[in-house]
Structure formats: C-alpha cells, structure tokens
Amino acid sequence: MVDEVRIQGLGVIDEAVLELSPGFNVVTGETGAGKTMVVTSLGLLFGGRADPQRVRPGADRATVEGRIVLDPGGRVVERVEEAGGELDDGVLLITRSVSAEGRSRAHLGGRSVPVSLLINLADDLVAVHGQSDQQRLLQAGRQRGALDRYAGNALLKPLRAYTAAYERHRQVSALLVELTTRARERAQEAEMLRFGLEEIEKVDPKPGEDAELAAEEERLGHADALRGAADSAHESLLGDPSAAFEAANVVTLLGTARNALDAVRDHDPELAGLADRLAEAGYLVSDVGTDLAAYAESVDADPARLAAVQERRAELIGLTRKYGPTLDEVLEWSGRSAERLTELEGDDDRIEGLAAEQAELAGRLEAEAAELTSVRTAAAERFSAAVTAELTALAMPHARIHVMVNPTGEYGPHGADEVEVRLAPHPGSSPLPLHKGASGGELSRVMLAIEVVFAGADPVPTFVFDEVDAGVGGKAAVEIGRRLARLARNAQVIVVTHLPQVAAFADQHLLVEKSDDGTVTRSGVTALDREGRVRELSRMLAGLEDSELGRAHAEELLELAAEER
C-alpha cells in the first residue's frame, strides 16, 4: 500500500504531506484547491509523463516522494533488489523529480533508476483511473490476463496443459528450423570433420610420439660427434689398450695416488679416510669408462633411419599445424570431432522424428486452444453480465459491456485468443473498444465497475480514481461510494471526489485547502476527524459549513455509510 506521499512544488502545492490508510481514502476540497494534483503526484511517482508546466511557478523543480509498504515475499521486492535498491523494514522509498526545464529523475530505494523501471513496477503496485491517465485494463494483454483470473480454477487445468504443449512445440520448431535451414552449413562442417579425421587416422599418431622422435633425430643427426666424444672421454679415463705405449689416464693416476696413501695410512686415520675416498673415486671412474665404451658402441650413424624419423616428424608437424599446437591436442580434437560427426550424421533421423513430434504437438495445441476459448467465452459472458449490472447502478442504465473472445489462429504463450472489452453506451449502438465508446467520466465509472467485479481476481494493491463521479449525483453517487468501499475491502483505494455521497464511505478523509496566497502549504492537507468530516460534507452538500440542514444531511450520510461498511 501507499503509506505516505510528500509533494513539493507541484501545481498550486508548495509543500504537502498525505498520510494514507490501508482502506478507502478520499480527497476533497474546493475547486482549484489542488485535489487533482494528488492524482498527478501518484502518476509521477509511478512513471507518468513529466510535464514541466506542472512545476509550480517560481520553483526550480517539482518533487514527489512516496513510501510504499511491500509484501516481503512479493515480486516487486525481488525486482527492486535486482535494480540495486534497498528497503527499510519492508518500506520502499520512491522519489521522482521534474525540473522546470523538463528534466526528469527517478530514485528507487536510494538508487537512481530509469523512469521505465517505475512504469514496470507500477503494473504490480497501482492502477490509476483518471481523465488523462493510462488505463491498465485498456491494454489487450491486461484484459486477457484479468479475464483468465476471473475465470478462476476452471481455466487452470486447460491452461497448464496448453502451456506445456506450447513450450514443447516452440522448442521442437526452433530445433527443426535450425536443422533444416542450416543443412548446407552442417553438411560442410561434417565434410571438414570427416577429412580431418581421415587425415589423422592415416598418420595414426601416438601420445608423446613427437617428443620421442625429436630426441631420436637429435641423436642420429650428431652420431659421429657423440661417438667421438665418448671414445675420447673413455680414453682419458681408462686409456687406449691398443696404443704402443701406455699414456697417463685418470684411473692410473688415481691408482698411483691411492698407493702412495696406502703405504702410510696406518699412521693417521684422517689420511686413511682420504685413501678410501680415492679408492671410491677409482671405482666410479672405472664404471663411467665402461659405460662410455658401451655408449660409443651403441651410437651408429644410420642415414636411412634418420631420414625415416625426419619424414615421420614432418607428418606429425603437419597435423599440429592444422588441428592443435601439440600432438596431445591433435588427439583431443580428433575425439571431439568424432563425437560431433556422429551427431551431424544423425541429423536426418532427428529431423524426421522432430517433424513427426511437431505435427502431433500442433494437433494438441489446436485442441487445447479450443478448450481455452470455450472456458474464456463462458467466463466472458458471466463477466459481461456482472459489469453491465454494476453500470446500471452507476447511472449508466442503458450501457452494455461485451467481452469479445476472438480466436486468432496464431498460438501464443496464453493461447490463440484475443480478448477485448467493449462498451455499447446506448441502446442500439455498436459495441466499441473502451477508449472509443466512453467519455472520460463514463470511462472512469466503467473502470470502477470492472475493478469491483474483478476485485480479488486482479491483484493490484492500490487503486486511484479521479473524477469517477463525473456527471452523476443522488442515488447513483451513493452507489459509487458503496462500490468503492466494497473494492477497499481487498485493496487500498484513493479517490478524488466532489460528491459528499462518495466521501461519506471513506475510511479516511483528507481535505486539501489553499492558504490566503492561493497555495497549498504543509498544513494545507488535513486528515479530518468526525466533526471535521461533518463540516466538510455539509460544505459539499449545501455550500455552507455550518448549515444546520447540511450538517443533518452530512450526519445521515455518515451513518448510512457506517452501516453499510
């Protein structure tokens, strides 16, 4: 509900605060006192058009600030949090300002937001019905949605079945379109994958093979140098047995050094330890020499093998240039591509199966949509009769409401029906769309009748009516007040009125008064007590606040309204 509205610099209002109750709130005041600015402020608060001409002369800007109490688990709270706004103990603060130059700014929960977000939130927060305000139920989607809620449980099962069939039909159709329209591209993709897999299969690479071949090519390419180095090192360590005389070598020199130490090792343990280390070095050098001889024997310059290795490496490098920087990644590409090729080659079978499913779903859609049309048509007849009866009591005795349910043949998320509420204002006149078949005052009454019938079915927490009583009086005015009070049992209702018969039914009565300089100041909006309501209703009835006859009539109206509430 709207808990409080603060207005500054809007029209004749310099500064005003409206504290609203959860039920039926009525705003009254003399002509030109600024009552309509209350509706204008609420319109601005929920994304209405920013008109710089509404800015009070002499003011830099007009500002409206509203405190909205929200359901903690509602959709609005989630959307506010998504926008970065914050709530204070379940209360949302909305601010809208319009500069004299026409610049508009909006803040939601302390965060600057685009005005379009306020408009989107308004659909779940408030319904404003006035001469110049956009009517929620004039929107085709709203009319269909409201009728569905009015139809109630009778529509739930067929709508659920239709929605399931529609979603699956949409998925299948989209997949079919993709498979058929991209047939050429998919065939080209399959051919490319097939070529690559055949090329890789022909080479038949093994994991790690590229590294092994690179090492073998390096060894074969330097075979002579490697063998010569091994022979030279072996000769240095162990000497050359084929030489005519024995040259000094490492093993001989280590033996000479060891013998020299062994001769005196018994005289000093430290020297004995050094002798042992020389012995170990001799054994190690001898082993290395033996290994060098074996290595030199194993190294063989094989030009044929070197050419084969180089050729194999060229084949593998050709693969890595096309399918991945390393051989392992080439093998990974091969695995992925084989799976993808299997998927592509199965498209023909998939297309055939999907086409059959699509045809079956189309039949289901047609049947389910027809069931929806039947249920909606029955609900539309009941709704038309109920709203027409309401209009009779609202001083439109000859008006007739017709809810048209027209199958379009085009299936959408909610069926194939186009729902439109039409009004025949006079006997013999053709039913016309609401915005064409009713004047401003009539349209407000039609909206009131619709909202009363939809009460509980169209879950908007706050309704605002301006000039809903235009052109009526007497008994019809009492009926309007009675129906507004009925609507307020399920929602917050805010009404600007000049009729005492309507004002008498309110739970809270706000009086707007101008000061001597023609402006509405902070003290210019007053919540009236019982005595204040009697005085204001007397003024509205007789034009005199202290008229005895007017006061008596005002008391009677208040008692009547209290009994009916």
Side-chain angles (χ1 to χ4, degrees), residues 195-197 199-200 318-325 329-330 333:
F195 175 83
L197 289 171
E199 186 175 17
I200 293 173
L319 294 181
T320 57
R321 286 174 178 170
K322 293 181 180 180
Y323 307 110
E329 292 184 60
V330 170
W333 182 91

Side-chain angles (χ1 to χ4, degrees), residues 366-424:
E366 183 178 0
E368 299 294 350
E371 177 66 16
L372 287 179
T373 301
S374 176
V375 175
R376 283 175 176 148
T377 300
E381 292 176 357
R382 298 194 307 272
F383 167 76
S384 299
V387 176
T388 297
E390 288 292 328
L391 290 178
T392 299
L394 295 175
M396 296 178 66
H398 304 297
R400 296 290 181 271
I401 283 290
H402 301 267
V403 178
M404 315 301 292
V405 180
N406 301 313
T408 63
E410 297 180 2
Y411 301 109
H414 307 286
D417 299 324
E418 184 179 80
V419 176
E420 185 178 38
V421 180
R422 295 191 174 192
L423 172 69

Side-chain angles (χ1 to χ4, degrees), residues 1-15:
M1 56 163 278
V2 180
D3 180 54
E4 181 183 274
V5 179
R6 294 177 177 269
I7 309 170
Q8 289 183 318
L10 184 65
V12 298
I13 299 178
D14 181 22
E15 182 179 5

Side-chain angles (χ1 to χ4, degrees), residues 200-477:
I200 293 173
E201 183 179 4
K202 182 179 179 180
V203 175
D204 191 23
K206 301 296 187 296
E209 183 182 4
D210 51 349
E212 294 174 1
L213 290 174
E216 185 178 1
E217 181 183 9
E218 186 73 12
R219 186 170 61 253
L220 289 171
H222 299 82
D224 291 339
L226 292 172
R227 185 171 57 250
D231 287 339
S232 178
H234 176 268
E235 184 178 343
S236 297
L237 295 178
L238 298 178
D240 183 2
S242 63
F245 62 91
E246 183 176 354
N249 58 70
V250 173
V251 172
T252 301
L253 294 175
L254 285 173
T256 301
R258 176 186 173 189
N259 292 333
L261 296 180
D262 281 342
V264 295
R265 62 180 296 157
D266 294 337
H267 303 300
D268 188 348
E270 182 179 354
L271 190 63
L274 294 174
D276 291 340
R277 289 172 64 187
L278 280 173
E280 294 174 1
Y283 299 144
L284 178 61
V285 169
S286 180
D287 289 343
V288 172
T290 302
D291 291 342
L292 284 170
Y295 175 81
E297 288 292 329
S298 69
V299 175
D300 187 17
D302 187 347
R305 175 57 185 168
L306 177 59
V309 168
Q310 290 174 337
E311 182 179 354
R312 178 63 175 173
R313 286 198 68 203
E315 291 178 341
L316 296 179
I317 290 173
L319 294 181
T320 57
R321 286 174 178 170
K322 293 181 180 180
Y323 307 110
T326 66
L327 196 58
D328 288 341
E329 292 184 60
V330 170
L331 293 172
E332 290 179 8
W333 182 91
S334 176
R336 293 194 306 270
S337 298
E339 294 177 1
R340 176 61 174 164
L341 183 59
T342 301
E343 178 183 338
L344 293 172
E345 289 175 338
D347 280 352
D348 290 341
D349 293 336
R350 291 180 69 198
I351 289 174
E352 183 178 348
L354 289 171
E357 184 179 3
Q358 184 187 46
E360 187 270 334
L361 287 169
R364 283 176 54 191
L365 274 181
E366 183 178 0
E368 299 294 350
E371 177 66 16
L372 287 179
T373 301
S374 176
V375 175
R376 283 175 176 148
T377 300
E381 292 176 357
R382 298 194 307 272
F383 167 76
S384 299
V387 176
T388 297
E390 288 292 328
L391 290 178
T392 299
L394 295 175
M396 296 178 66
H398 304 297
R400 296 290 181 271
I401 283 290
H402 301 267
V403 178
M404 315 301 292
V405 180
N406 301 313
T408 63
E410 297 180 2
Y411 301 109
H414 307 286
D417 299 324
E418 184 179 80
V419 176
E420 185 178 38
V421 180
R422 295 191 174 192
L423 172 69
H426 309 292
S429 60
S430 299
L432 297 174
L434 288 179
H435 64 284
K436 295 182 179 179
S439 65
E442 288 175 332
L443 186 56
S444 290
R445 272 178 279 165
V446 170
M447 287 299 154
L448 172 58
I450 289 174
E451 298 292 12
V452 169
V453 172
F454 273 141
D458 195 12
V460 176
T462 299
F463 295 91
V464 181
F465 291 93
D466 184 23
E467 300 190 40
V468 68
D469 48 18
V472 300
K475 184 179 178 180

Side-chain angles (χ1 to χ4, degrees), residues 541-556:
L541 284 164
L544 299 172
E545 296 178 354
D546 298 319
S547 165
E548 289 297 328
L549 183 60
R551 289 179 62 86
H553 194 179
E555 293 279 5
E556 183 181 2

Side-chain angles (χ1 to χ4, degrees), residues 498-550:
H498 65 276
L499 291 181
Q501 295 92 332
V502 173
F505 281 87
D507 297 304
Q508 173 158 286
H509 190 148
L510 299 175
L511 174 62
V512 180
E513 294 180 294
K514 291 193 294 187
S515 60
D516 293 338
D517 63 357
T519 64
V520 177
T521 61
R522 187 176 184 84
S523 60
V525 179
T526 308
L528 301 179
D529 57 14
R530 170 76 180 195
E531 176 59 27
R533 294 189 70 183
V534 170
R535 288 174 57 83
E536 174 61 8
L537 292 179
S538 177
R539 181 197 66 78
M540 297 170 72
L541 284 164
L544 299 172
E545 296 178 354
D546 298 319
S547 165
E548 289 297 328
L549 183 60

